Amino acid sequence: MDSKITKFERNDPSIKKLYLEGNELGPEGARRISNALKSNTNLQLLNLEDNRIGDQGAIAIAEALSQNNSLQTLHLENNEITLQGITAISQMLKMNRTLKALNIEGNRLGVPGARLIAQALSENNCLTRLDIGYNTITEQGADAFVRLLQTNTTLIRIDFGDDIFPPDVVSKINERLARNKNQSSSSSSS
């Protein structure tokens, strides 16, 4: 693992994907990754799943992604991230124009975190996939995505995991995601 991180830190063009899930990196390890991420121009996928990076690690990664122009996929699931870390991620989403997929499943977002992410995505026209399940976002959090999808045309997939919402909420979300997917397909075939 250390040799891959070292290559990544050196901006080695051969490191396009970095899988570090389950390595107990913690906030300190996330800061090390974020320092390299700020100037890295090659990495496209970063998987930090199950690393206990917490809010401080999430803040460090979010700050780095405000400057990074290459990362397209980020996995932060199951990292004990709460509202403080999600606030930083939300701010990053307002500025970042390269991230296409974000997985923040299994953290501690709750309704306020879901609302922050939805609000940030109203200013983001790049993210196409969001995994946000297992965060106890409830119907109120899902409603924020219903509102978001009235204007957002880039999101084509949202995974709410096992979260259960009323059928009308699910139907509205699915209809709007299908609309976006159809628009995306027709614009890419033109």
Side-chain angles (χ1 to χ4, degrees), residues 19-132:
Y19 294 94
L20 298 173
E21 66 273 14
N23 280 297
E24 300 289 327
L25 294 174
E28 202 54 47
R31 278 191 281 280
R32 178 180 175 192
I33 298 298
S34 73
N35 286 335
L37 198 54
K38 289 175 185 175
S39 59
N40 187 284
T41 57
N42 299 297
L43 195 69
Q44 296 172 1
L45 181 148
L46 177 60
N47 189 334
L48 295 176
E49 175 183 358
D50 289 318
N51 271 293
R52 296 183 179 181
I53 67 168
D55 290 330
Q56 295 309 306
I59 290 167
I61 296 295
E63 287 173 359
L65 287 178
S66 295
Q67 301 170 35
N68 179 284
N69 291 315
S70 66
L71 197 73
Q72 297 175 16
T73 303
L74 177 62
H75 290 267
L76 292 176
E77 58 263 49
N78 303 317
N79 268 300
E80 303 170 359
I81 301 169
T82 68
L83 192 57
Q84 184 183 8
I86 287 302
T87 300
I89 291 169
S90 297
Q91 292 301 316
M92 172 273 297
L93 286 171
K94 292 177 182 180
M95 296 181 282
N96 183 286
R97 296 296 174 243
T98 56
L99 197 64
K100 294 180 192 267
L102 174 63
N103 189 327
I104 50 176
E105 287 186 339
N107 285 291
R108 300 177 188 153
L109 277 64
V111 173
R115 286 180 176 154
L116 279 173
I117 293 293
Q119 180 185 15
L121 290 177
S122 69
E123 299 178 36
N124 179 298
N125 62 358
C126 190
L127 200 77
T128 60
R129 178 183 174 151
L130 176 65
D131 294 274
I132 194 167

Side-chain angles (χ1 to χ4, degrees), residues 111 115 136-146 164-166 168-169:
V111 173
R115 286 180 176 154
T136 59
I137 64 171
T138 75
E139 182 181 348
Q140 289 78 24
D143 280 339
F145 288 97
V146 169
I164 299 171
F165 309 118
D168 63 318
V169 173

Side-chain angles (χ1 to χ4, degrees), residues 1-10 15 18 32:
M1 172 183 77
D2 255 354
S3 67
K4 267 198 154 182
I5 292 176
T6 301
K7 284 182 176 182
F8 162 66
E9 289 174 321
R10 292 183 183 147
I15 305 296
L18 191 57
R32 178 180 175 192

